[in-house]
Amino acid sequence: EDDGMVGSVQLYDNKKGSSSSNGKGGVVVSRVIRGSIAWNAGVRAGDRIVATSATVGDKMWPKSTLDGVRSAISSRKVMSSTMKFQLQRSSDTLLSETELVQEFELSLSRPMGINIEDTPDGYVRISGFTDDAPKKVTDKLQVGDRIIAADSSLGNKLWPISNVDGAVSAVTSRLPGQPVQLRFERVIEKGTDLTSVQSLKEESSTTILARDLLQNYSKYQSGVISKRTLSASSEDAISSDIQNEQLLSRCRDVLKRYIYVYDPTADRNTGVPALVADRVLEALAAASASLDAKTLSLLMNAYIKCKKPKEALRIFEATIGLAADGSSKVVNDIVIKGKEKGQIVPNRSGLNLYTATDLIRAHSILGDSSSALRVLCAIEGDEMDLGEVKAINWETTFKADTKFYNTVLAAVSKSETASIDVVKNLYSAMCEPVLFNTPRPKKNVVTYNTMISAYARNGKRQDAFVLLNEMLEAGLKPDKFTITSLVKVVVDDGDVDTALGLLSDMKKAGIKSDAVGYNTVIRSLCDRSKWFEPKSLVADMEARGISPDAKTYGLLMNGLLKLNKPGPCLTLFESACSDQRTAALTENVQLYTTAITAAATLGDYERALELVSRMTFAGVKPNMKTLTSLTGACLTGENYKYALDVYKKIEKPDGYAMLLGVRAYCKSGEFGTALNLVDGNELMTGKQIMSSYNYIIASALEEKDYLAAKKAMDNLLKNGYIPSKMTFRKILESLDLLKSKEKKARIFGNQSDNDEEIEKFKYLLSVLDAIEGRKLHSTGQMYSCILSQGATIGGVYRKIASLIQIQRSDSAHLQVQINHDENEETSQQTNLTRWSDILENYSDYKTSIKEKSMKLPFVRVRINQRELRQVLFAEQGVTYGGMRKSNKNLAMNKR
C-alpha cells in the first residue's frame, strides 16, 4: 500500500486547500482496475471515501485521511475477511461504463523510445515517442495509449501500473537483456473498425532468462541491435572464453544487486536472491558456461542467505564435480541444465578458499559437523588427521587459513551432534600465536572466543577461564565477545555477582561493550524473579552510552509478566513507544506480542485489539504467538466469537494455541469440533490434552449438553487417558452439586427442575459406567455426590443409589480377599449390566436384584481421610430401614 494501492483501488490524500474538482478534502479514488470487485460494484475514479467498517462489528467509522483508511484496513483484516466502504460521488465525477477499450500486450526491451505521463484520472499515458524509438514501438503504439500492467521481474504475473514511478521501476528492474511484458489499453472511438485493432494483440513472451542473456551478448558481440533469432554460430561464439567472462560478469552484477539489499525480515522480499540465482543458473546453463570462483561464491551466498543450504551444496557439486561433504561419493549425475538446452560445465577452477568457506557455512546451517570436518581434511590433504574423519585429498593449490579454520571450528562447536572433545581436537590442531611461521594457521582472538563460547554452551566454567588465561599469556587482548561468553558461562552457573564483576571489568579495561552481555545478566535476574537489579543494569547501560535494544525491553517486559505485573509491563512498552530514542525498537513482533499478552492477562481485549491494529499499521506482521495472545485476550474478555475468528487465522497453531482454540469452540457451542481438535492431537502435551478434555466436559455440562459431555468422557478413556481428581471436580462443579444447601427445596419447587436433576443423575451414572469399563476408581467426593443426588430425587433413583452403596461395600470386600482371582473378576465383569441400563429397565431387573440372582456392576472408590465424613453421611441417606445400622458398621469395619 506504499503507493496508495488498496486491493484493486488506488487512493490519494486530497488535502484540504489543494485543488480538486469537487472542492472537498478527504480520501479520493484516483484509479479503479477494470473487472475488479470494486469496478463491478460501481466504484469509479473521483469517488470520495467517507467511512469504513470498524475493527470489529458492523459499525461504520468516518475517515478523512489516507492513513486512517490504511489503518482501518490493516486492523480489520485481522478480525474479518470482509470490509464495507461508504463512498460519496460528486456530480462531476466521470462515469466510464460505456467507454470502449482494447487491451493488448507487447514485449519490449530498453530503450523503448516512449515518453509517459501521469493523468488526472490515475492512468499512465503515452505522451510521445523519441527520435530513436524502435519501429515495433511506433507501429504498435500511439499517443494516448495507457500502460496498465507490467510483468514482475521474477515470475510471469502481471502487476498493475498506477503511476509513472511504477512503470519506470518495472522497466529498470529487469535482469540483463530481459525484456518486459507490458499490457496496454487503448480507448476506441465510436465508429472505429475493430478489425484493425486485432493486429495489436501479441502473444505473451515465453522467452526464458537464459535466451534473453544469450541474445543480449550476441548483440554485444556484433555491436548492432539484431532482431533475428540467435543463430547456431552466435551460440558457438558465446561459448568462447571472452564471451563466457562477459556473461559471468553481468551475472555477478545482478547477484550482487539482489544479495546486498536483501532483507530476510521483509515478507515481500522473502527468497528473492534464491529466485535470482535460479534464473542466473538457467542463463549460464543455456550458454554451457563454466563458473569461476567469484560467480560460484555469489550463487552459494544467494542460497545461504535464503536459508537454502542444500541448494548451495547442489550447485557446488554440479559446478566443481566434487562431493560437497568431502567424501569419495560420485556426483556425475548432479547436473544443472538449461530449460531448452545446454548445462553447466563442471570445472575445478571454481574451487578456492572463498567457495570452500561458503561450503562450510552451508554445512553449519544444516548442523552437519562431520561434513565440515571432511571438507577441511580434503583441503589439507594427508597433513590433516582428525581421528575417525576420513576424506579424499582434493589436491588443491591453496591451503586453509586461520579464518577458514575458525569457520570450521564455529560450525563444529554449534552442532548438536559433535562432542566437546571433537571441538577440542580441532582447536588443538591449530598453532599458537607465535611470531615465526607455523605449519598450520595460528590461533587468533576469534579462535579463542569460539572455543570459550563452546565451553560456555557445555557448562564448562573452569575450562573457559583457563582458556582466558592462555589467551592473555599469548598476548591477545580479550574483546566484548570474549567477556560476553564468560558472562554466559557464569550466569548459567548461577553466579550473577561474578557476571556483574565481569561487566565492570570491561569498563575498567576500556573494552567497548554492547547490550548482549547485559542482556545475558538481565535474563538471569528476571528468571530469578528479580526486578530492581535489572533496572539498575539498564541505568548502568545508559550511563556507559549503551542503548538498550529490543531484546532488553523484551526481557524486562517478560520479567514483569513473570512477576504477575501486566500493568507495569504495558506501561514500560508504552513509554518505549513514546520515546523518540526507543520508538523504532518497539516495532518488533516479540515486543508487541508480549504487550498483547499483558493486555490479555488484564482481560482488556479492546487494548489487545488496539495493539494489533497499531502493529499492523507499523508494518509489523502478527505471528502465531501474537494471534495466540489475542485469542487469549478475547477469551478473557468473554468475546468468544472474535476469539474463534482470530484462532482460525493461525495457520500453524502450536499446542497452547490449540488449547485456546478448544476453549473458543466450546464457548461458541461447537463441542464436536473442539473434541475433534483434541482427539489424536500430537502437538499438544498430555497436560494440555487433559485440560482440554476437562474443559469440554465442563462446558458441555454447563450448557446442559449431556450427550457431548458423555462423548468427551468416552473419548478421554478410549485414548488411554485417566480422569484425574480435577476431572471429577469439574464435573461436580459444572453440575452445581457442590452447593447442596437448600437443594431439596429447590428441586421440588417445580417439575422442570426435578427433570433437570434427573438428567444430572443419569450423567453421573454414565461416568460411573465409563470408569468401571477401565477398572478405574472414582473419588470419594464423586461417589458421595452420586448417592446424595439419588437420595434427593427419591423414588427409583434413591433405590439405584442404595444399590451403588451396597456394591461399593461388596466391591471393597472382594478387593481384600486374598484368594480373589483377577481373571475371574474380569470374566464376571464382562457379563455385568451397566448402571445406566439398570435405571432405564429397573422394573425388569427388580425381581432379579431382590433375589440376588443378578450380578451388579462393581463400584471402585478411593476415599481419603477428608472425604470420609462426607461419604458416611451420603451412605446414611440411601440406607433403608434395618439395614442402615448394619451397613454402617460393615463399612466402618472394612475401612
Side-chain angles (χ1 to χ4, degrees), residues 607-623:
R607 179 77 171 274
L609 288 174
E610 187 260 338
L611 286 169
V612 173
S613 177
R614 280 168 53 184
M615 74 181 294
T616 52
F617 182 68
V620 182
K621 183 179 180 180
N623 59 14

Side-chain angles (χ1 to χ4, degrees), residues 587-814:
E587 295 181 0
N588 177 288
V589 66
Q590 285 79 20
L591 294 186
Y592 267 108
T593 300
T594 305
I596 292 169
T597 303
T601 306
L602 291 171
D604 191 350
Y605 86 97
E606 292 181 348
R607 179 77 171 274
L609 288 174
E610 187 260 338
L611 286 169
V612 173
S613 177
R614 280 168 53 184
M615 74 181 294
T616 52
F617 182 68
V620 182
K621 183 179 180 180
N623 59 14
M624 184 268 293
K625 291 186 178 179
T626 310
L627 296 178
T628 300
S629 297
L630 184 57
T631 303
C634 293
L635 286 172
T636 306
E638 299 182 357
N639 282 272
Y640 307 123
K641 179 180 179 298
Y642 299 142
L644 189 57
D645 289 342
V646 174
Y647 171 75
K648 289 179 179 179
K649 292 182 180 295
I650 304 176
E651 295 181 359
K652 295 180 179 180
D654 60 4
Y656 180 68
M658 289 180 176
L659 176 65
L660 296 181
V662 167
R663 296 179 181 179
Y665 279 118
C666 287
K667 289 300 183 181
S668 301
E670 300 182 35
F671 301 113
T673 307
L675 201 56
N676 292 335
L677 188 60
V678 179
D679 290 339
N681 193 307
E682 297 180 355
L683 296 177
M684 300 174 73
T685 64
K687 185 176 180 180
Q688 290 170 340
I689 290 177
M690 276 302 302
S691 178
S692 297
Y693 276 125
N694 291 346
Y695 198 89
I696 295 172
I697 292 170
S699 299
L701 292 176
E702 288 172 359
E703 295 297 322
K704 299 180 175 54
D705 191 342
Y706 299 103
L707 201 61
K710 183 177 182 302
K711 185 177 181 181
M713 176 61 77
D714 291 340
N715 286 15
L716 182 153
L717 294 166
K718 182 179 67 177
N719 291 326
Y721 295 95
I722 298 176
S724 62
K725 290 183 179 180
M726 180 58 68
T727 307
F728 293 121
R729 184 168 183 83
K730 286 286 185 183
I731 291 173
L732 299 177
E733 288 177 349
S734 302
L735 293 175
D736 198 25
L737 297 180
L738 297 182
K739 300 176 182 179
S740 56
K741 293 182 178 180
E742 301 179 359
K743 184 193 299 181
K744 184 179 293 187
R746 188 179 72 248
I747 290 176
F748 292 102
N750 56 66
Q751 184 60 36
S752 62
D753 288 340
N754 192 42
D755 292 342
E756 185 60 38
E757 298 301 321
I758 290 173
E759 291 300 321
K760 293 179 182 180
F761 184 73
K762 289 181 178 180
Y763 176 74
L764 292 174
L765 291 184
S766 71
V767 173
L768 205 59
D769 290 332
I771 61 175
E772 178 57 28
R774 287 274 307 275
K775 298 182 176 58
L776 301 174
H777 292 74
S778 69
T779 62
Q781 187 180 49
M782 179 77 172
Y783 166 72
S784 59
C785 283
I786 294 174
L787 299 187
S788 298
Q789 184 72 357
T792 302
I793 299 172
V796 67
Y797 305 99
R798 184 169 184 264
K799 182 61 179 175
I800 297 296
S802 176
L803 294 173
I804 291 173
Q805 182 268 328
I806 294 171
Q807 282 302 103
R808 201 280 297 183
S809 299
D810 289 347
S811 297
H813 178 65
L814 286 172

Side-chain angles (χ1 to χ4, degrees), residues 84 272 320 406 428 463 473 484 617 720 762 775 872 894:
K84 294 181 181 178
V272 169
I320 302 298
N406 288 340
S428 301
D463 292 334
E473 291 173 359
T484 300
F617 182 68
K762 289 181 178 180
K775 298 182 176 58
L872 289 175
K894 290 174 182 176

Side-chain angles (χ1 to χ4, degrees), residues 231-291:
S231 64
S233 61
S234 297
E235 291 185 6
D236 293 337
I238 291 175
S239 64
S240 67
D241 292 341
I242 295 176
Q243 290 299 319
N244 187 67
E245 176 54 36
Q246 291 172 345
L247 179 60
L248 293 175
S249 177
R250 290 292 186 94
C251 290
R252 286 197 296 269
D253 291 340
V254 174
L255 289 166
K256 289 176 183 177
R257 182 172 63 181
Y258 283 94
I259 290 174
Y260 294 158
V261 300
Y262 177 59
D263 180 9
T265 62
D267 293 333
R268 293 182 181 180
N269 298 331
T270 302
V272 169
L275 293 174
V276 174
D278 290 339
R279 299 296 186 271
V280 169
L281 283 171
E282 289 174 7
L284 295 171
S288 298
S290 295
L291 271 63

Side-chain angles (χ1 to χ4, degrees), residues 20-164:
S20 63
S21 58
N22 55 20
K24 296 180 181 180
V27 182
V28 180
V29 177
S30 61
R31 166 97 190 279
V32 186
I33 296 177
R34 292 179 180 276
S36 64
I37 296 176
W39 177 274
N40 295 334
V43 181
R44 294 295 181 268
D47 292 347
R48 190 164 64 92
I49 295 180
V50 296
T52 65
S53 296
T55 301
V56 292
D58 298 325
K59 190 173 182 180
M60 303 293 290
W61 290 95
K63 299 296 176 189
S64 59
T65 65
L66 183 56
D67 287 342
V69 174
R70 285 175 171 169
S71 177
I73 294 172
S74 62
S75 59
R76 176 74 178 186
K77 67 184 180 183
V78 175
M79 303 302 302
S80 176
S81 58
T82 61
M83 187 172 187
K84 294 181 181 178
F85 293 87
Q86 182 179 343
L87 299 103
Q88 186 179 72
R89 177 169 296 162
S90 61
S91 59
D92 57 349
T93 297
L94 177 64
L95 296 181
S96 55
E97 290 92 341
T98 59
E99 183 180 73
L100 180 62
V101 297
Q102 174 69 32
E103 291 186 0
F104 58 95
E105 294 181 14
L106 293 176
S107 179
L108 304 176
S109 300
R110 298 168 59 190
M112 295 181 180
I114 60 176
N115 298 323
I116 57 177
E117 63 181 4
D118 288 322
T119 63
D121 54 352
Y123 289 100
V124 178
R125 175 179 170 272
I126 297 178
S127 59
F129 301 97
T130 63
D131 294 337
D132 58 349
K135 188 175 185 299
K136 175 182 178 181
V137 172
T138 55
D139 288 346
K140 296 288 186 180
L141 300 175
Q142 64 185 32
V143 175
D145 288 348
R146 304 164 179 167
I147 302 176
I148 60 175
D151 64 345
S152 59
S153 57
L154 297 170
N156 298 320
K157 185 174 181 180
L158 287 174
W159 293 95
I161 296 294
S162 57
N163 51 48
V164 170

